[in-house]
Amino acid sequence: MIKKIAILTGGGDCPGLNATLRSVVQSCTVDHNIQVVGIPYGFKGLLENKFVPLTLANTTGILSKGGTILGSSNVDTPFRVPVKRNGQKEYEDRSDEVVENLREARVEALIVVGGDGTQAIAHQMAEKGVHVVGIPKTIDNDLNGTEFTIGFFTAVGTAVDALDKLHTTAESHQRIMVVEVMGRNAGWIALFAGLGGDADAILIPEIPFDLAQVAKGLNDAYHAEKRYSIVVVAEGAKPVGGEQTVSRIIEDSPEPVRLGGVAHQVAMDLEKLTGRTSRAIVLGHLLRGGSPDAFDRILAGRFGAAAVDAVVKGKFDTMASYQNDTVSLVPLETGAGKNRYVSTDSPFLKAAKERGILFGG
Ligand code: F6P
């Protein structure tokens, strides 16, 4: 009989994390009489040996709130902690310490809510004997082993709202509006936002683009009376034979590259190629904010309940997964540091191509 578990949220925040915390507390308290403690700021808090009680009372009202009441970090891992020695930065493995912190706090299992990077750390912890269960979240929807992740649909909804608003300016000025969305190396947000927001072209990392092709398609549409264009570009998209646009390098982060800014080049190039006015807008972190939509709230509830069930049944080193409307468990290794990208046979890609949406490749 498990009496106490801990939960942390790691990686970039997203809508639906608080809904997940709420559902885990509800399942533990109502169904199993398990005490829950939260770890502040992801693995950083575990390293600092910090635990805060999570109860039905202090999680009431958080379900609809964006972000995470626990805080999160996308740069901290106990397996590679930066330290200064003789003025030099070095890294040390302090994972034994965090295992000991959990043992001393009498935590019998750890639920880790995160994307591929966080689940990779979770799996490393499981290999050290910690009883871990993962819950998939990321706006990018790029975690291997699950069809959808918490946060994705809310981010898509936010992008679609933005596209709806940009249609009017694009139409009034007969412009090409190039809208950049996050997603790292995956084109899921761009593809779904483009489908929902009636884009004329969608540029994704999985299909390197040829802008001459896109420009021709947009001008053909212009001459057929479609006087304005909406282009959605994923931050990780790149031209055929070219490179991704890097906005900065975060040295201490397990995934140091931050992408961003490709929309500006795409807008300038399309203006030259089409002879029409073009503007770029980068939605960026806007997509990570706000209240989770109904799908994310419900998914958070299902993942939370599945993770607690896994804990109770002793199914550790696993991750909750959503496939064909069913929530089940997959080995944690499936998601640990592994990504799922838009494949050439994706039904969503097919649906977009059938509507004549351009991909430039
Ligand atoms: O993984 C979520 C995400 O928002 C990506 O889409 C984006 O590339 C990255 O995180 C941004 O990271 P940061 O918040 O460190 O700028």
Side-chain angles (χ1 to χ4, degrees):
M1 289 277 283
I2 298 256
K3 291 199 193 69
K4 187 176 181 183
I5 68 156
I7 184 164
L8 65 81
T9 51
D13 75 328
C14 71
L17 291 174
N18 287 322
T20 310
L21 298 176
R22 174 75 178 151
S23 94
V24 165
V25 170
Q26 282 175 317
S27 298
C28 281
T29 316
V30 178
D31 296 340
H32 305 290
N33 203 21
I34 297 173
Q35 192 191 341
V36 186
V37 288
I39 299 167
Y41 299 100
F43 285 104
K44 184 174 190 288
L46 192 50
L47 206 52
E48 292 168 357
N49 204 10
K50 290 189 178 145
F51 299 95
V52 291
L54 290 180
T55 63
L56 282 179
N58 69 13
T59 58
T60 295
I62 66 166
L63 189 146
S64 59
K65 215 173 159 245
T68 160
I69 58 163
L70 286 178
S72 193
S73 161
N74 65 1
V75 292
D76 293 288
T77 165
F79 294 89
R80 192 172 179 269
V81 183
V83 279
K84 275 255 164 81
R85 272 201 204 97
N86 309 323
Q88 298 277 17
K89 193 189 273 183
E90 292 175 13
Y91 295 90
E92 57 184 30
D93 181 347
R94 287 175 58 191
S95 53
D96 287 340
E97 244 175 85
V98 301
V99 175
E100 187 54 21
N101 291 347
L102 286 167
R103 202 190 57 77
E104 272 178 11
R106 296 186 189 286
V107 168
E108 291 155 284
L110 174 66
I111 294 182
V112 174
V113 192
D116 62 291
T118 306
Q119 299 306 348
I121 303 168
H123 180 55
Q124 283 180 289
M125 299 281 293
E127 284 180 329
K128 292 186 83 82
V130 178
H131 291 157
V132 184
V133 178
I135 293 182
K137 73 83 221 179
T138 163
I139 62 161
D140 305 336
N141 202 38
D142 63 346
L143 182 57
N144 193 48
T146 185
E147 201 177 335
F148 295 119
T149 53
I150 295 164
F152 170 63
F153 273 106
T154 307
V156 169
T158 303
V160 167
D161 279 351
L163 291 175
D164 285 351
K165 292 197 169 89
L166 293 166
H167 268 272
T168 54
T169 298
E171 187 171 14
S172 304
H173 293 268
Q174 300 197 343
R175 278 182 185 166
I176 301 170
M177 295 299 271
V178 181
V179 187
E180 179 176 318
V181 295
M182 282 185 163
R184 283 195 201 269
N185 299 311
W188 293 111
I189 302 179
L191 178 58
F192 276 56
L195 282 167
D198 201 9
D200 300 284
I202 303 173
L203 309 179
I204 58 175
E206 293 86 344
I207 307 176
F209 57 80
D210 171 4
L211 279 188
Q213 242 187 70
V214 177
K216 183 181 178 314
L218 297 184
N219 272 354
D220 287 350
Y222 181 87
H223 295 303
E225 302 299 317
K226 172 76 195 305
R227 299 286 193 213
Y228 72 96
S229 315
I230 299 287
V231 177
V232 178
V233 56
E235 63 178 2
K238 57 177 186 231
V240 177
E243 300 295 329
Q244 289 178 318
T245 309
V246 174
S247 72
R248 61 171 68 195
I249 302 286
I250 314 283
E251 237 183 76
D252 289 338
S253 174
E255 294 167 276
V257 175
R258 295 293 182 274
L259 299 167
V262 63
H264 298 289
Q265 193 61 48
V266 169
M268 281 197 300
D269 291 350
L270 280 178
E271 190 163 293
K272 276 190 213 128
L273 289 162
T274 60
R276 291 161 53 200
T277 311
S278 180
R279 292 285 187 274
I281 174 164
V282 180
L283 296 183
H285 290 86
L286 199 68
L287 301 179
R288 295 235 298 255
S291 182
D293 69 5
F295 183 85
D296 278 333
R297 294 178 192 203
I298 294 163
L299 187 63
R302 294 181 74 190
F303 277 170
V308 173
D309 190 58
V311 165
V312 170
K313 293 183 175 147
K315 295 181 179 172
F316 299 118
D317 202 11
T318 55
M319 181 181 83
S321 151
Y322 177 97
Q323 306 279 353
N324 300 323
D325 291 340
T326 304
V327 170
S328 58
L329 294 174
V330 294
L332 188 49
E333 210 186 348
T334 316
K338 301 199 183 84
N339 295 106
R340 193 180 68 95
Y341 300 111
V342 178
S343 65
T344 43
D345 61 352
S346 160
F348 300 101
L349 188 62
K350 189 166 172 277
K353 287 189 171 168
E354 281 166 1
R355 280 170 53 187
I357 296 175
L358 306 161
F359 284 86

